[in-house]
Amino acid sequence: MVHFGEVAIIGVGLIGGSLAKVMKVNGIADRITGAGRGREGLELALRLGVIDRIADSLEEAVGDADLVVLATPVGVFEQITKRIGMVMKPGAILTDVGSVKGEMVNTLESILPGHVRYVPGHPIAGKEKTGVAESSDTLFKNAKCILTPTEKTDRAALDAVRGIWEAAGAKVIIMDPFLHDKVFAAVSHLPHVAAYAMMCAVSDMNTGTDDYLAFSGAGFRDFTRIAASSPEMWRDVCLLNKKNIVHMIERYQFSLSKLKKAIEKADAGTIEKIFKQASDIRKGLGASR
């Protein structure tokens, strides 16, 4: 079993807090230090026993750490890494849980000094509700966790990080960081963009007495559930994976346009064909996790 004496988690929210709980339950860390900008959340994490101490600064948090986990929004990864890289001790491992890799991985590798070992990661798990109060040591059970090493990645460090996620119950998959961004622009980033857009499209519509949203049922609520996710996090994802997300929006617009034309023409055959194709594919995915 992988083991670390000192662990620092920067950003003790849903993901960072859940990973801390996994480490405690499995005896992976002797002590976990929390750091980040939200003092209230850190104090809650301390009261809940998710972390063992709160650091007054990022530098203090990582100085003695054998493992540092970046669990903040990806938009501040570069800024944080610039601050902590030279402070981290020789041989320490830096990993992250960000949903954008690609150029971000290259950037962090270029910033980090040679004595720090970096292993990029992305657990495919979460909830629409955020914060350490929602964290759970079972959040990652049966989920996928994508690790995106490069030729610079230390193999022993990669094995250690893999061991953490396997202890969490996740299925670890190794993937090229740029392929990762193409894949998740399609299956994660586009759905979030679509959910946000759907909410905006309907939110200001009114019957004259009631908002349309007052009549929404399970279908609308299921489709837009992820629009309750962190706006800050998804803003950063869109900015950092812009090219791939724009490409997927264009594909989605093409698909919508095709369906729109069939509806305009009352082309029942084409409408049913599109719906059946989508229905068959969706059924093949099985039940949601």
Side-chain angles (χ1 to χ4, degrees):
M1 173 69 74
V2 63
H3 180 266
F4 299 93
E6 296 278 345
V7 172
I9 297 181
I10 302 175
V12 190
L14 172 65
I15 302 298
S18 295
L19 192 57
K21 288 183 175 180
V22 166
M23 292 185 188
K24 283 184 172 290
V25 167
N26 291 280
I28 291 173
D30 290 338
R31 185 168 75 157
I32 299 176
T33 297
R37 66 184 185 186
R39 185 75 188 189
E40 183 178 345
L42 290 170
E43 290 176 350
L44 176 59
L46 187 62
R47 290 197 302 273
L48 294 174
V50 176
I51 58 176
D52 300 304
R53 63 182 288 268
I54 299 172
D56 291 328
S57 68
L58 298 179
E59 292 82 358
E60 179 193 339
V62 307
D64 294 322
D66 303 297
L67 172 71
V68 176
V69 180
L70 286 180
T72 63
V74 290
V76 294
F77 277 12
E78 181 177 351
Q79 173 189 339
I80 291 173
T81 302
K82 286 178 179 178
R83 285 184 58 181
I84 67 174
M86 293 306 297
V87 183
M88 292 176 65
K89 67 183 188 181
I93 298 173
L94 175 68
T95 190
D96 70 80
V97 297
S99 58
V100 178
K101 292 293 173 268
E103 288 295 343
M104 175 61 72
V105 171
N106 286 348
T107 297
L108 298 194
E109 284 185 333
S110 70
I111 292 170
L112 286 167
H115 69 264
V116 175
R117 300 179 291 168
Y118 174 47
V119 181
H122 176 204
I124 314 305
K127 303 176 182 178
E128 67 273 18
K129 294 181 180 180
T130 58
V132 70
E134 297 293 326
S135 63
S136 167
D137 63 0
T138 62
L139 182 67
F140 311 112
K141 190 172 179 60
N142 299 319
K144 292 182 177 69
C145 180
I146 314 299
L147 299 182
T148 61
T150 71
E151 60 183 16
K152 297 180 180 179
T153 305
D154 180 87
R155 295 300 122 174
L158 176 62
D159 289 343
V161 173
R162 178 198 289 269
I164 297 170
W165 291 112
E166 288 177 343
K171 177 184 178 182
V172 176
I173 297 171
I174 303 298
M175 185 179 290
D176 174 82
F178 289 93
L179 176 59
H180 168 281
D181 285 1
K182 289 181 180 179
V183 170
F184 286 93
V187 300
S188 175
H189 306 168
L190 175 64
H192 278 82
V193 169
Y196 284 121
M198 175 67 77
M199 288 302 305
C200 291
V202 178
S203 63
D204 60 353
M205 299 181 73
N206 194 291
T207 65
T209 56
D210 295 300
D211 293 334
Y212 278 28
L213 292 175
F215 301 94
S216 61
F220 184 87
R221 292 171 188 269
D222 287 348
F223 183 86
T224 60
R225 175 184 58 81
I226 53 177
S229 302
S230 166
E232 180 184 19
M233 181 182 79
W234 286 101
R235 173 203 66 197
D236 290 349
V237 168
C238 287
L239 294 175
L240 291 168
N241 199 21
K242 177 177 64 176
K243 181 178 178 181
N244 290 316
I245 294 173
V246 167
H247 174 67
M248 288 310 306
I249 289 173
E250 289 171 347
R251 286 182 63 92
Y252 188 41
Q253 288 173 325
F254 176 80
S255 185
L256 280 174
S257 178
K258 183 178 178 181
L259 184 55
K260 176 186 173 185
K261 289 177 182 177
I263 294 171
E264 286 176 336
K265 295 178 180 178
D267 184 347
T270 298
I271 295 170
E272 184 176 359
K273 180 180 178 182
I274 293 171
F275 287 172
K276 186 177 187 308
Q277 179 185 18
S279 178
D280 289 345
I281 294 170
R282 178 61 185 87
K283 288 173 183 175
L285 290 178
S288 298
R289 184 179 160 267

